[in-house]
Amino acid sequence: MTRVSLLSSPFLLGFERLEGMLERAARSADDGYPPYNIEQTSETSWRIVLAVAGFLPEHLSVTVEDNQLVVAGAQPDDKTRTFVHRGIATRQFQRRYVLADGIEVVHAGVENGLLTVDLTRPKSQQVIRKIDIVAKP
């Protein structure tokens, strides 16, 4: 069976990578842990806030891999504690967010059980470049 792509128009050249990123984002959107918010803080800035109660900063990582923001958390097992009831989830997680070209992570921090990751897209200059047309002899 032939797969039809939304980006298969002959006028969209070089977007194969974008299609792959969209597919990865759709696959990773299924898990609901940890809960998160995404806010637009200005015209060119965003903030991702994840609820990471119980995680210390050293148990968390924020990386950018191939235009994807990867936020992960893992806690070591504490064998010294015995729980009668454990209702606060502290399982391992990994969340991936696909970033457009030019988006930069400017800050990540933990406060009151919330991990915040600030993103920005620097304003780009519009570049118009004239291409010389060369006649072949």
Side-chain angles (χ1 to χ4, degrees):
M1 181 171 161
T2 303
R3 194 172 128 233
V4 176
S5 168
L6 295 174
L7 301 174
S8 63
S9 167
F11 300 108
L12 297 174
L13 302 175
F15 284 92
E16 297 81 13
R17 185 172 163 202
L18 176 63
E19 186 174 20
M21 288 189 318
L22 290 172
E23 288 174 3
R24 284 193 304 269
R27 281 194 304 268
S28 69
D30 295 337
D31 188 17
Y33 180 77
Y36 66 95
N37 292 336
I38 300 175
E39 337 169 1
Q40 186 162 8
T41 56
S42 76
E43 186 179 314
T44 59
S45 300
W46 299 266
R47 174 173 289 146
I48 300 172
V49 181
L50 294 98
V52 292
F55 284 85
L56 297 174
E58 56 267 21
H59 299 148
L60 300 166
S61 71
V62 177
T63 57
V64 176
E65 304 170 7
D66 191 29
N67 281 21
Q68 286 190 67
L69 172 67
V70 180
V71 181
Q75 289 187 334
D77 257 348
D78 188 356
K79 305 284 186 194
T80 64
R81 299 166 71 182
T82 304
F83 291 95
V84 175
H85 171 77
R86 190 166 190 168
I88 300 172
T90 56
R91 66 181 189 256
Q92 293 185 24
F93 69 88
Q94 185 176 59
R95 279 226 174 260
R96 293 180 174 270
Y97 303 90
V98 177
L99 303 178
D101 287 336
I103 300 280
E104 299 173 1
V105 177
V106 293
H107 178 264
V110 178
E111 185 178 352
N112 297 326
L114 298 174
L115 171 65
T116 60
V117 180
D118 293 323
L119 310 164
T120 190
R121 176 184 299 158
K123 292 204 178 213
S124 61
Q125 302 280 335
Q126 183 180 9
V127 177
I128 299 175
R129 192 177 75 169
K130 181 169 176 25
I131 309 299
D132 293 328
I133 300 172
V134 179
K136 290 191 177 192

